[in-house]
């Protein structure tokens, strides 16, 4: 990567990450007024689902810029971590983050969550932070994640749900969809909870944080093709 291109990616990373982390006054105001959320608190709650001494295989999809996950992954020295994202730009930014944070056990892959390039039951954990609102085919994404997760494996993360914050819903429809950042349809919180329970059974935790569904699911030891192929009720 050339010096000029590297600098442009760094500037892109800074602006994108400013919004997510609220590290600038304008991004804090945006998150509080529009979403009433603390992205850092949300990230900490998600990361509490994954022990620092985890030593299995973890898939992070979409990995984005790895702004939230870099610190966590630096502590997970025994884990094998794969970060996948459809966007080549995000992969390039995440690569800079990986190099800056010196995370040797993270590999980055450009790919489609709807057609994951992995065999069945190949991951112990799947993490998805703020990704499902961006996936055009959410049913397929849920099914693919279920497929690659091992029995008794954990699927955790968070995603946007509609109907909780009118200002946020308007922003999604009028701005974020038009810019291609979000893709309908979206679940309500009740629909998201029902979807996850229909796939993962009783071992499901969900929590509503304003316009976000926080979740942790454990894949049953024995599954049926019906639950796998028809994830949404």
């Amino acid at each position: 990567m050339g010096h000029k291109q590297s600098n442009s990616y760094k500037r892109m990373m800074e602006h994108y990450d400013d919004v997510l982390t609220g590290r600038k006054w304008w991004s804090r105001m945006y998150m509080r007024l529009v979403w009433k959320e603390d992205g850092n608190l949300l990230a900490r709650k998600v990361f509490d689902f994954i022990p620092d001494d985890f030593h299995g295989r973890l898939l992070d999809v979409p990995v984005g810029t790895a702004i939230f996950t870099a610190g966590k992954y630096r502590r997970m020295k025994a884990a094998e971590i794969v970060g996948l994202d459809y966007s080549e730009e995000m992969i390039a930014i995440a690569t800079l983050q990986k190099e800056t944070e010196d995370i040797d056990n993270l590999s980055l892959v450009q790919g489609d969550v709807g057609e994951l390039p992995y065999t069945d039951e190949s991951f112990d954990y799947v993490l998805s932070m703020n990704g499902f609102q961006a996936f055009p085919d959410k049913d397929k994404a849920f099914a693919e994640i279920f497929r690659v997760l091992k029995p008794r494996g954990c699927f955790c993360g968070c995603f946007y749900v509609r109907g909780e914050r009118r200002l946020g819903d308007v922003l999604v429809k009028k701005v974020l969809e038009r810019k291609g950042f979000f893709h309908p349809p979206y679940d309500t919180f009740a629909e998201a909870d029902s979807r996850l329970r229909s796939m993962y059974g009783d071992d499901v935790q969900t929590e509503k944080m304003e316009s976000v569904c926080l979740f942790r699911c454990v894949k049953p030891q024995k599954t049926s093709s019906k639950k796998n192929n028809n994830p949404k009720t």
Side-chain angles (χ1 to χ4, degrees):
M1 183 183 293
H3 180 70
K4 184 175 181 180
Q5 186 179 17
S6 176
N7 286 339
S8 69
Y9 278 132
K10 286 180 179 177
R11 286 194 297 271
M12 185 191 303
M13 180 175 68
E14 288 171 357
H15 292 310
Y16 180 87
D17 293 344
D18 282 344
V19 173
L20 291 182
T21 61
R23 62 190 180 191
K24 301 289 188 180
W25 69 266
W26 55 266
S27 58
R28 289 194 296 272
M29 182 176 293
Y30 164 76
M31 293 298 290
R32 289 172 183 170
L33 292 179
V34 177
W35 299 108
K36 295 188 73 174
E37 290 174 9
D38 181 340
N40 295 289
L41 173 62
L42 183 61
R44 288 196 298 272
K45 282 184 164 249
V46 172
F47 294 154
D48 283 345
F49 294 139
I50 309 172
D52 286 350
D53 62 356
F54 170 70
H55 58 272
R57 196 167 185 233
L58 181 146
L59 173 65
D60 181 354
V61 56
V63 68
T65 65
I67 179 62
F68 283 122
T69 50
K72 175 71 174 180
Y73 291 163
R74 197 169 55 248
R75 298 191 298 273
M76 295 170 58
K77 298 184 182 300
E80 178 188 348
I81 303 166
V82 178
L84 182 141
D85 204 292
Y86 188 78
S87 166
E88 293 182 357
E89 289 80 8
M90 288 294 184
I91 292 294
I93 297 167
T95 299
L96 289 176
Q97 193 77 260
K98 170 186 173 178
E99 293 171 353
T100 299
E101 300 290 343
D102 194 24
I103 308 172
D104 295 331
N105 58 332
L106 170 63
S107 59
L108 295 164
V109 179
Q110 193 277 329
D112 185 354
V113 68
E115 296 182 10
L116 291 173
Y118 306 109
T119 59
D120 295 355
E121 302 178 358
S122 54
F123 289 94
D124 302 282
Y125 265 79
V126 177
L127 170 67
S128 183
M129 289 188 64
N130 296 316
F132 269 87
Q133 61 262 22
F135 299 153
D137 191 336
K138 295 171 179 59
D139 288 351
K140 196 170 183 181
F142 275 110
E144 276 290 272
I145 286 173
F146 189 91
R147 178 184 67 79
V148 301
L149 190 63
K150 294 179 181 179
R152 306 308 301 164
C154 181
F155 173 39
C156 61
C158 57
F159 53 80
Y160 161 76
V161 288
R162 62 182 173 86
E164 300 297 332
R165 179 93 175 135
R166 179 171 175 76
L167 184 57
D169 292 343
V170 170
L171 179 71
V172 166
K173 187 172 183 62
K174 301 296 185 182
V175 178
L176 299 176
E177 285 183 11
R178 292 179 180 179
K179 289 185 175 294
F181 296 140
F182 281 36
H183 293 275
Y186 316 104
D187 287 345
T188 63
F189 178 78
E191 289 168 344
D193 182 82
S194 177
R195 178 199 289 271
L196 292 171
R197 293 183 188 279
S198 73
M199 298 185 72
Y200 292 89
D202 295 331
D203 202 346
V204 172
Q205 299 172 237
T206 58
E207 179 182 349
K208 181 168 58 180
M209 295 183 66
E210 295 298 337
S211 295
V212 170
C213 175
L214 177 75
F215 65 92
R216 176 188 181 275
C217 312
V218 176
K219 185 174 180 178
Q221 188 67 39
K222 294 183 179 180
T223 61
S224 68
S225 59
K226 180 178 180 180
K227 284 187 177 181
N228 195 359
N229 294 330
N230 298 282
K232 189 172 181 181
T233 57

